[in-house]
Amino acid sequence: KGMIEESLGTLLEFLLLLPPDPDIALKELADHQAFESYRNMFDQLSATIDALRLSHPKTRLSLDVIEQYGFGYKTGIGYNLYAKGQNTSLGRGGRYQAGVENACGFSLNLSNILGSIENNLISKKISIPYNTDFSAIRDLQEKGWITVLSNDPATDDKAEYYLCEGQIHSKK
């Protein structure tokens, strides 16, 4: 009994101390004798990480092999999405079994997403007239503006800038 508890404790300590850098963590996992039978899964995860880096090069990835968030039906890799400066997950997903089908899903937490936008002090919010052309709105959004549709005075107060006849003006 003592030997088993000691070896499980050592293994758990190893997992808890893995660095969050995916490359280092996956190498350490692949090199550890206890995880030899999982090397194929580590290769698949590494390929997924490489694909994410190619498609989203500015995204910072971290790996936590201990985290479990209560979805007992999960059958593979699970993940959480965080925004810079946020300590709550904006969404989560992973692999699961749907009857006889293998599936993959993702859920967004709209409350956290909206909270992230509201609390983002770096972003610039602009009040735009109700009848503004959608292409102009999309152009502002692509330039980093958070657009607030101006349909009543209370809504207007949420923005630091306003759009008038195609020109951006500060309310200050």
Side-chain angles (χ1 to χ4, degrees):
K1 181 179 173 182
M3 291 283 285
I4 292 173
E5 289 174 358
E6 185 177 318
S7 64
L8 287 176
T10 302
L11 190 57
L12 182 57
E13 181 180 20
F14 168 78
L15 292 172
L16 288 169
L17 295 176
L18 278 173
D21 180 291
D23 297 322
I24 297 170
L26 286 171
K27 180 172 180 357
E28 288 186 23
L29 284 164
D31 290 346
H32 198 289
Q33 184 179 2
F35 301 104
E36 192 170 319
S37 62
Y38 295 97
R39 286 201 178 132
N40 185 42
M41 184 175 66
F42 299 148
D43 290 342
Q44 290 175 0
L45 180 55
S46 183
T48 301
I49 289 169
D50 290 344
L52 283 168
R53 284 182 176 149
L54 280 173
S55 63
H56 298 84
K58 293 182 180 180
T59 301
R60 189 176 59 120
L61 301 172
S62 62
L63 182 64
D64 184 351
V65 297
I66 298 293
E67 181 173 335
Q68 290 291 316
Y69 45 81
F71 289 129
Y73 56 85
K74 192 174 67 170
T75 60
I77 296 170
Y79 51 90
N80 284 307
L81 173 68
Y82 293 90
K84 186 175 183 178
Q86 285 290 113
N87 60 359
T88 57
S89 172
L90 301 181
R92 63 176 84 174
R95 292 184 55 198
Y96 62 96
Q97 194 77 26
V100 296
E101 297 290 323
N102 288 319
C104 185
F106 185 75
S107 299
L108 292 173
N109 185 327
L110 294 180
S111 297
N112 289 350
I113 291 172
L114 293 174
S116 173
I117 292 170
E118 283 295 318
N119 295 326
N120 187 350
L121 300 176
I122 298 169
S123 65
K124 297 181 287 186
K125 295 178 188 171
I126 186 166
S127 177
I128 54 173
Y130 181 76
N131 60 349
T132 301
D133 180 61
F134 186 74
S135 62
I137 295 170
R138 174 52 81 200
D139 184 51
L140 287 167
Q141 292 170 341
E142 287 175 358
K143 291 177 180 172
W145 289 93
I146 293 177
T147 54
V148 179
L149 187 60
S150 175
N151 57 0
D152 66 52
T155 303
D156 287 345
D157 292 341
K158 293 183 178 181
E160 301 90 21
Y161 299 85
Y162 65 96
L163 185 69
C164 183
E165 297 179 7
Q167 299 294 314
I168 298 171
H169 303 275
S170 174
K171 287 187 173 180
K172 297 176 185 176

